[in-house]
């Protein structure tokens, strides 16, 4: 008995890195998996190589699981619909969507070309919309609930030097999931964001990952058990949560508001001078 027997899961960008591990882990617990990957380079260039998705489908089948490949790009509405259609043709319905596909075009803002902004926002933020909307509508119409897990990043949630395009897209994904969690509640569609950390082709040139002992600690397979848990009935009481996950650590990430200051007099209108005198309390 697997935790996900009878379930159908879509994982985007599942041809390598973290997405491949999600696909293998979901299949190992009994889910039938749509392995989506357009087979491009780290920066999103190229594409059209079916090998990446096919290879992961073969791995799942070799272990006795069920899987089908999708080579569509997440970055268009047609691509998103095609990914859903692949799932419906192969398995009849969808229970779980993991939005994971991603690329990088890092530059400081002063050196960033418009195209570097556009393509990163297109794949991450628009891509999450393009796949999520048709899948959400399918889950809503089917009436059996569902789970949508989207991949954000500490680069967006905490900020990271040289990643304004990527960080903006990743913070946008987080805001998207927070709103969709509210819309999904009455249909029992549960929504989550992940901020993973793992050694993959996206991160293998970062100074942080150069030490051998760090490489060993940051295996992408350490991210996926959380995805399996969230997708399963064991997490049926949870929605609208954001998790940091990687290197053996799992933690909730939260947006917090402190007590701040409130003025009753003058209709609540603070003067700039009063704000200056209270700034330590506002930031406490
Ligand atoms: N590795 C990390 O430490 C880390 C940290 C934070 C966030 N992330 C996020 O995790 C996700 C997975 O990244 P990874 O590190 O495994 O990198 P990766 O490059 O190994 O995996 C990304 C996959 O997405 C696929 N892809 C790219 N554009 C696509 C498109 N338009 N349509 C379909 N597939 C597409 C790629 O072919 C690739 O296989 C990404 O969203 C990334 O931003 C990773």
């Amino acid at each position: 008995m697997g935790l996900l027997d009878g379930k159908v899961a879509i994982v985007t960008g599942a041809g390598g890195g973290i997405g491949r591990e999600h696909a293998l882990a979901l299949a190992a617990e009994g889910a039938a998996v749509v392995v989506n990957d357009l087979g491009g380079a780290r920066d999103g260039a190229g594409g059209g190589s079916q090998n990446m998705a096919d290879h992961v489908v073969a791995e799942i089948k070799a272990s006795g699981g069920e899987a089908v490949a999708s080579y569509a790009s997440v970055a268009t509405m047609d691509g998103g619909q095609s990914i859903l259609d692949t799932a419906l043709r192969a398995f009849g319905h969808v229970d779980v969507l993991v939005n994971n596909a991603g690329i990088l075009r890092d530059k400081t803002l002063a050196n960033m070309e418009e195209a570097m902004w556009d393509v990163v926002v297109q794949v991450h933020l628009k891509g999450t919309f393009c796949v999520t909307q048709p899948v959400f509508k399918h889950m809503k119409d089917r009436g059996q609930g569902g789970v949508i897990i989207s991949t954000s990043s500490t680069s967006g949630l905490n900020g990271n030097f040289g990643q304004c395009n990527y960080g903006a897209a990743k913070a946008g994904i987080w805001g998207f999931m927070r709103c969709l969690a509210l819309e999904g509640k009455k249909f029992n569609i549960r929504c989550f964001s992940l901020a993973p950390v793992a050694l993959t082709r996206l991160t293998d040139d970062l100074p942080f990952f150069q030490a051998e002992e760090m490489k060993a600690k940051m295996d992408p397979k350490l991210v996926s058990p959380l995805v399996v848990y969230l997708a399963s009935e064991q997490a049926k009481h949870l929605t609208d949560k954001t998790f940091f996950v990687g290197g053996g650590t799992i933690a909730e990430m939260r947006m917090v508001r402190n007590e701040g200051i409130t003025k009753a007099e003058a209709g609540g209108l603070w003067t700039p001078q009063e704000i200056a005198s209270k700034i330590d309390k506002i930031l406490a």
Side-chain angles (χ1 to χ4, degrees), residues 12-20 22 36-42 44 52 70-76 83 99-104 122-124 151-155 166 170 173 194-203 206 209 220:
T12 70
I18 298 171
R20 170 176 165 273
H22 292 338
N36 161 262
D37 206 295
L38 102 168
R42 177 186 194 264
M52 290 178 77
S70 148
Y71 316 112
S73 171
V74 299
T76 67
I83 294 168
N99 288 304
N100 166 81
I103 61 168
L104 283 181
Q122 185 80 26
V123 171
H124 287 279
T151 311
S152 182
S153 170
T154 55
S155 296
Y166 179 77
K170 289 304 203 184
I173 289 171
L194 297 185
V197 186
L199 178 65
T200 68
R201 69 179 189 172
L202 277 194
T203 50
L206 298 182
F209 283 109

Side-chain angles (χ1 to χ4, degrees), residues 25-223:
L26 291 162
E29 286 295 341
V33 181
V34 176
V35 177
N36 161 262
D37 206 295
L38 102 168
R42 177 186 194 264
D43 66 356
S49 160
Q50 305 189 343
N51 293 349
M52 290 178 77
D54 285 346
H55 187 74
V56 177
V57 168
E59 280 184 273
I60 290 172
K61 287 187 170 165
S63 311
E66 271 191 282
V68 65
S70 148
Y71 316 112
S73 171
V74 299
T76 67
M77 293 307 284
D78 284 352
Q81 186 63 47
S82 146
I83 294 168
L84 172 63
D85 289 345
T86 300
L88 297 183
R89 264 196 313 275
F91 307 122
H93 69 274
V94 179
D95 302 284
V96 179
L97 167 63
V98 186
N99 288 304
N100 166 81
I103 61 168
L104 283 181
R105 295 279 173 101
D106 292 353
K107 276 278 183 228
T108 56
L109 187 68
N111 295 315
M112 189 175 293
E113 291 158 24
E114 184 183 359
M116 300 167 101
W117 178 275
D118 287 347
V119 72
V120 167
V121 171
Q122 185 80 26
V123 171
H124 287 279
L125 183 54
K126 179 80 184 287
T128 300
F129 168 73
C130 291
V131 185
T132 299
Q133 193 190 41
V135 171
F136 182 86
K137 283 182 175 172
H138 161 74
M139 289 172 171
K140 174 174 170 283
D141 292 346
R142 182 168 173 247
Q144 304 281 312
V147 180
I148 298 175
I149 301 167
S150 294
T151 311
S152 182
S153 170
T154 55
S155 296
L157 301 177
N158 293 338
N160 198 25
F161 187 92
Q163 292 196 311
C164 286
N165 52 357
Y166 179 77
K170 289 304 203 184
I173 289 171
W174 172 75
F176 178 13
M177 285 303 107
R178 299 236 39 203
C179 294
L180 192 64
L182 300 176
E183 294 184 21
K185 251 182 195 160
K186 74 174 177 195
F187 308 111
N188 192 26
I189 300 172
R190 304 184 289 111
C191 301
F192 303 96
S193 294
L194 297 185
V197 186
L199 178 65
T200 68
R201 69 179 189 172
L202 277 194
T203 50
D204 63 5
D205 60 349
L206 298 182
F208 177 69
F209 283 109
Q210 296 319 305
E212 283 311 315
E213 95 253 23
M214 195 50 84
K215 287 185 181 168
K217 271 193 200 155
M218 291 295 166
D219 193 315
K221 76 170 177 234
L222 302 180
V223 177

